[in-house]
Amino acid sequence: MVISESQSRYAEGWSEADYVGGHPALDFINTVADTGKTRLSDKIGNWDGVRKWAGGAGLLPRPELAAFFQDASLDDDDELARLHRFREQAYEAMLGLVGRTDTGSQSVIDLERSIRDAMGRGAFSEEGRQFRWQPDARSPQRWLDAVALCFEEFLRSEDVTRLRQCTRCTWFFVDRGRGAGRRWCDMRTCGNRAKAEAFRCR
Ligand SMILES: [Zn+2]
């Protein structure tokens, strides 16, 4: 997504290249910086990272995000650990959806449970003339709920039919292009590395 000026002050240190998934749910999975098929380089290893990522990702409407930021005392180590667990569980579920693993189906069930739990704690609220699930900003599990409900929206959308994984790294993205389709998360990173390697091999 394109980071607007008003967003950039929330997303200091993060750039457009961090948000190439095409949906905040996928951008959440993509919060590892590994350039290969490992997922060890964590970009949201602390709360500062989580908050800045969320500021640029469009995870929540601005007033809701401001409410999350207002009381940071709720954000503890347990919730950070839950967020990391959920991210890898959602990653496994997406692998299952693109047919890369057969353990994916259990992960999809786990993801569904996280979404149900988030709905149980959240509110179904009207926005304009549409409705959406809204996490409870006073819950200690509010961040987990915010990302789980973001997946709920993603899984019901058309975007899920265009879900792809980068052939080089572990990032996922929505392929909105026509023709042969997009192979890399980002031409500027994985695309260029793949081309450079192909050139060396010739
Ligand atoms: Zn990639």
Side-chain angles (χ1 to χ4, degrees):
M1 70 177 290
V2 176
I3 300 181
S4 69
E5 204 177 322
S6 63
Q7 274 177 314
S8 63
R9 81 193 159 91
Y10 288 95
E12 183 198 327
W14 293 70
S15 74
E16 265 182 57
D18 295 301
Y19 304 102
V20 297
H23 193 284
L26 301 183
D27 287 332
F28 178 67
I29 286 181
N30 299 347
T31 52
V32 294
D34 308 55
T35 55
K37 291 289 181 188
T38 54
R39 292 180 58 78
L40 303 171
S41 179
D42 201 342
K43 296 197 292 177
I44 54 165
N46 54 43
W47 279 111
D48 186 51
V50 173
R51 293 189 192 105
K52 283 177 178 160
W53 168 79
L59 176 69
L60 291 165
R62 193 58 60 195
E64 278 177 52
L65 194 63
F68 272 42
F69 286 173
Q70 210 160 36
D71 183 8
S73 69
L74 283 172
D75 303 337
D76 61 14
D77 290 348
D78 289 345
E79 173 71 340
L80 192 60
R82 279 192 292 267
L83 262 188
H84 290 153
R85 264 199 310 276
F86 176 82
R87 182 184 59 189
E88 298 317 303
Q89 171 195 25
Y91 170 72
E92 284 292 327
M94 295 307 108
L95 276 182
L97 290 185
V98 296
R100 294 263 163 90
T101 70
D102 46 9
T103 56
S105 50
Q106 181 56 46
S107 305
V108 174
I109 294 168
D110 292 342
L111 177 58
E112 185 196 327
R113 188 175 304 124
S114 298
I115 291 170
R116 280 173 194 263
D117 291 347
M119 284 174 169
R121 287 186 286 266
F124 194 56
S125 55
E126 190 175 1
E127 242 175 44
R129 293 175 72 180
Q130 289 186 309
F131 286 80
R132 60 177 275 270
W133 287 98
Q134 185 182 15
D136 179 359
R138 293 155 305 173
S139 162
Q141 301 190 35
R142 58 194 189 161
W143 288 98
L144 176 69
D145 291 352
V147 287
L149 293 172
C150 187
F151 272 92
E152 187 272 339
E153 197 274 327
F154 173 69
L155 291 171
R156 281 187 301 101
S157 73
E158 283 259 309
D159 284 347
V160 77
T161 63
R162 302 185 193 99
L163 176 69
R164 305 280 183 275
Q165 190 184 29
C166 179
T167 53
R168 279 191 62 93
C169 72
T170 67
W171 285 22
F172 277 95
F173 56 88
V174 177
D175 184 5
R176 297 199 174 92
R178 291 167 186 275
R182 181 174 148 195
R183 295 171 59 196
W184 302 294
C185 59
D186 193 347
M187 197 58 227
R188 293 166 292 189
T189 55
C190 286
N192 274 332
R193 282 193 284 265
K195 284 197 165 175
E197 273 170 20
F199 183 75
R200 276 199 301 274
C201 289
R202 277 197 294 190

